[in-house]
Amino acid sequence: MALAATPRVRHIQTISLALLVTAGVVNYVDRATLAVANPLIREDLGLSIPDMGLLLSAFLWAYAFAQLPAGALADRLGPRLTLTLGLSCWSLGQMLGGAVTSFWQFVSARIVLGIGEAPHFPTCARVSRDWFNIRQRGTATGIWNCASSLGTFLALPLLTFLMVSFGWRAMFVIMGAAGLVLAAIVYLVFRNPRETDLTPAERAFLEEGDAPNASRPVTWSTWRRLFGFRTSWGMIVGYFGCIYMTWLYTAWLPSYLEIERHFTLQKTGLIGSIPFAFGVMGGILGGRVVDMLVRRGVDPIRSRKIPMVASLVATAGFTVVAALTPSDTLAIACISASLFLVYLSSSSAWAMASVAAPANCTASLGAMQNFGGYIGGALAPTVTGFIVGGTGHFSMAFITGAVIALIAALGYWTLIQDPIVDEAPSGPLVDGLHAAG
């Protein structure tokens, strides 16, 4: 008979997801402030469109490279302290953004924001592993991962209101202050499993399906060896394309609607949120699809891999149509479908982290995946900015994104094969890497 959660564990799961979703929404609202205020900041600071592409990427480069230590930090310190420290850091960076007077000051503020936000999603993956049974982790991941699209959906109307009412600088400060309040709440309310007096039945439920020594602290040697597996590199390459597509739209959708489709600022704030509402649904559905496939007997790796690949291929198709159609309505519909699918792929990818790695390396592997993703995310605003600056249109930038999505799908399909075992890796790829090193 399958093990079941006790009422106390279910209560902790509910509180944990509520905190993760709330923090994730604030995370994505904060990173969207620059995109939403793009026209006003360009005018105020005298920046060009390529300048804004570089500025948008500053956060993403910092976020990408901070992923690698952030995942190990989450596995070592535990989610409670890591979430609190991350929230506090990125909220201070957000407040600094409201005080800048030059391009390089803004770059510095965005770097602080990126470093602070880096631990968030790897830590969420660790919470899924810590507080949910293996049969629940896909749905749990879909719920907290939908915060990324929910936050972007809420960001456009909310930030537009704050910006129009109080100015873009006050918008940054208000959001930073809200994040500091949330950091205090997380520290006071959330607990790690080792800080909770779990019964043997509760511990058995949470650890069902995990490998032995799951609670052993991650070491530098263990973390480094993760790079020796094909599955790790498949997750890195595939997520590169997933987040490239996400940030193609997150960073440039407001400007695309204003420049390419000639929408007003107010209309952009309303219409521009629609695709991200579909992203919320895709994020939640991605987790549900993963758990449904597991319950039907599909092995945990393939239950993640199949929706990851299929959704990226379809995303590429819809993005090409959006690039070529003269219809505003069809373009918005295709972008909505693309974001629905790319967030479905994202939820499946984060659910992969909870089954592909030994339990004590969950956040570390998730962070490596996110590192690859946000190399793509960092390139997307810059590449798009230079393509649009050079051509005057977004069509070639969208087609470039579609090609990258197809390459990412191929990487997912060919490289991800088996879960990572808690022993020295072996195999042709590993041997080649060791020989090259």
Side-chain angles (χ1 to χ4, degrees), residues 110-423:
R110 296 294 287 185
I111 287 173
V112 174
L113 182 74
I115 292 171
E117 290 198 2
H120 179 75
F121 283 94
T123 305
C124 290
R126 182 60 190 253
V127 172
S128 293
R129 189 87 184 225
D130 285 349
W131 282 114
F132 292 85
N133 180 274
I134 193 169
R135 297 184 302 276
Q136 302 175 315
R137 290 173 189 165
T139 299
T141 301
I143 291 172
W144 59 252
N145 191 54
C146 83
S148 54
S149 49
L150 178 60
T152 310
F153 168 70
L154 295 174
L156 287 170
L158 172 62
L159 295 177
T160 300
F161 168 76
L162 292 175
M163 186 171 59
V164 170
S165 301
F166 306 107
W168 69 266
R169 293 182 183 278
M171 174 188 72
F172 275 78
V173 174
I174 290 169
M175 290 308 306
L180 290 176
V181 172
L182 181 58
I185 294 172
V186 168
Y187 186 77
L188 293 172
V189 173
F190 185 80
R191 291 292 182 273
N192 299 317
R194 65 174 177 265
E195 300 167 340
T196 307
D197 187 21
L198 296 172
T199 67
E202 289 171 336
R203 196 169 297 280
F205 170 76
L206 296 174
E207 296 178 356
E208 182 183 9
D210 287 341
N213 302 318
S215 61
R216 186 178 59 200
V218 66
T219 65
W220 163 248
S221 175
T222 303
W223 179 88
R224 187 182 57 196
R225 285 212 324 267
L226 292 173
F227 283 103
F229 291 89
R230 291 171 58 95
T231 292
S232 299
W233 286 101
M235 292 170 67
I236 290 169
V237 170
Y239 212 54
F240 177 100
C242 183
I243 301 302
Y244 186 100
M245 292 303 299
T246 302
W247 272 91
L248 169 64
Y249 291 122
T250 299
W252 284 106
L253 183 57
S255 295
Y256 164 78
L257 295 177
E258 293 165 20
I259 295 170
E260 191 90 3
R261 300 293 171 177
H262 310 295
F263 285 13
T264 64
L265 181 63
Q266 288 76 14
K267 188 176 180 181
T268 295
L270 177 63
I271 302 299
S273 65
I274 292 174
F276 293 98
F278 281 86
V280 174
M281 293 184 284
I284 295 173
L285 181 62
R288 299 286 292 178
V289 167
V290 163
D291 283 347
M292 179 189 70
L293 290 174
V294 170
R295 287 194 294 269
R296 294 192 175 187
V298 179
D299 73 80
I301 295 293
R302 286 182 63 82
S303 74
R304 276 83 169 154
K305 180 176 170 177
I306 291 169
M308 284 153 59
V309 171
S311 56
L312 278 178
V313 171
T315 294
F318 281 113
T319 299
V320 170
V321 175
L324 301 179
T325 181
S327 168
D328 292 346
T329 301
L330 181 57
I332 294 297
C334 287
I335 292 171
S336 298
S338 295
L339 282 171
F340 174 89
L341 290 162
V342 82
Y343 278 105
L344 189 151
S345 179
S346 177
S347 286
S348 303
W350 276 109
M352 177 73 79
S354 69
V355 298
N360 63 328
C361 298
T362 299
S364 298
L365 182 61
M368 290 175 181
Q369 168 183 266
N370 220 21
F371 166 73
Y374 276 87
I375 295 296
L379 288 172
T382 303
V383 170
T384 302
F386 279 107
I387 291 175
V388 175
T391 65
H393 297 282
F394 280 82
S395 55
M396 186 55 64
F398 278 22
I399 291 171
T400 300
V403 172
I404 290 172
L406 290 174
I407 294 171
L410 181 63
Y412 270 145
W413 187 256
T414 57
L415 291 176
I416 297 177
Q417 300 295 333
D418 300 304
I420 295 168
V421 295
D422 192 14
E423 59 186 38

Side-chain angles (χ1 to χ4, degrees), residues 5 18 40-41 61 66-67 85 87-88 96 101 122 203 207 269 273 313 343 391 427:
L40 296 182
I41 292 172
W61 285 113
Q67 287 297 311
L85 292 174
L87 257 168
S88 300
L96 289 173
T101 58
R203 196 169 297 280
E207 296 178 356
S273 65
V313 171
Y343 278 105
T391 65

